[in-house]
Amino acid sequence: MAQWTWEHDCFIPSECNAGRAVIELFLARLESLHWDKHDLFSIRLAMEEAVVNAIEHGNELDSAKRVHVVCRISEESAFIQVTDEGPGFNPDAIPDPTDQDHLECPGGRGVMLMRSFMTEVYFNEKGNRVTLVKQRTT
């Protein structure tokens, strides 16, 4: 179990740019701890995908719904958990966007990016919460 040195827990509205402040806060904290620029890029990309997906696909831009974002930092890892109030989805049912038959389909690219840029990516059973973990480059 990681020893968290910094934590931030917030709710954001289901509006397109609502996640920007929490993403910038988290990245600024990581930068102040001298995280590698490649790690910062990876975390930004994955976190933006998770937050935007929660707002647009999970909550469908419904102003009555919010997105819960939890961020944590330890000496060796960054942890992000994004939960929407939507019905969820099955991440295993998303077609592979790199498959020849699905190159023209817009779906699945965000999940693929999160999985390729983060060390660990987990979805809860309902499919309305994603947990992202990035191990610090040494």
Side-chain angles (χ1 to χ4, degrees), residues 3-9 20-37 39-40 43-44 47 70-80 136:
Q3 180 71 25
W4 305 118
T5 58
W6 184 85
E7 298 184 56
H8 183 72
D9 186 321
R20 183 167 288 149
V22 69
I23 293 168
E24 293 304 326
L25 174 69
F26 189 55
L27 291 169
R29 185 66 181 165
L30 290 169
E31 193 169 1
S32 76
L33 296 170
H34 309 291
W35 275 60
D36 179 79
K37 289 190 185 305
D39 287 346
L40 294 173
I43 292 166
R44 174 185 296 279
M47 191 172 183
V70 177
C71 305
R72 297 179 182 141
I73 301 170
S74 73
E75 285 293 321
E76 67 279 343
S77 64
F79 171 97
I80 304 118
R136 186 175 191 162

Side-chain angles (χ1 to χ4, degrees), residues 28-98:
R29 185 66 181 165
L30 290 169
E31 193 169 1
S32 76
L33 296 170
H34 309 291
W35 275 60
D36 179 79
K37 289 190 185 305
H38 180 55
D39 287 346
L40 294 173
F41 173 81
S42 298
I43 292 166
R44 174 185 296 279
L45 185 65
M47 191 172 183
E48 285 176 350
E49 283 295 331
V51 170
V52 168
N53 284 349
I55 291 169
E56 292 183 3
H57 301 296
N59 288 351
E60 299 178 328
L61 296 168
D62 182 343
S63 62
K65 296 179 179 177
R66 300 182 304 166
V67 175
H68 186 201
V69 181
V70 177
C71 305
R72 297 179 182 141
I73 301 170
S74 73
E75 285 293 321
E76 67 279 343
S77 64
F79 171 97
I80 304 118
Q81 190 169 73
V82 179
T83 308
D84 62 61
E85 296 179 11
F89 76 110
N90 179 356
D92 297 327
I94 296 174
D96 179 356
T98 63

Side-chain angles (χ1 to χ4, degrees), residues 102-119:
H102 300 110
L103 291 176
E104 300 294 322
C105 300
R109 286 179 173 72
V111 172
M112 180 191 73
L113 287 171
M114 286 186 276
R115 287 182 170 150
S116 51
F117 281 100
M118 299 300 283
T119 308

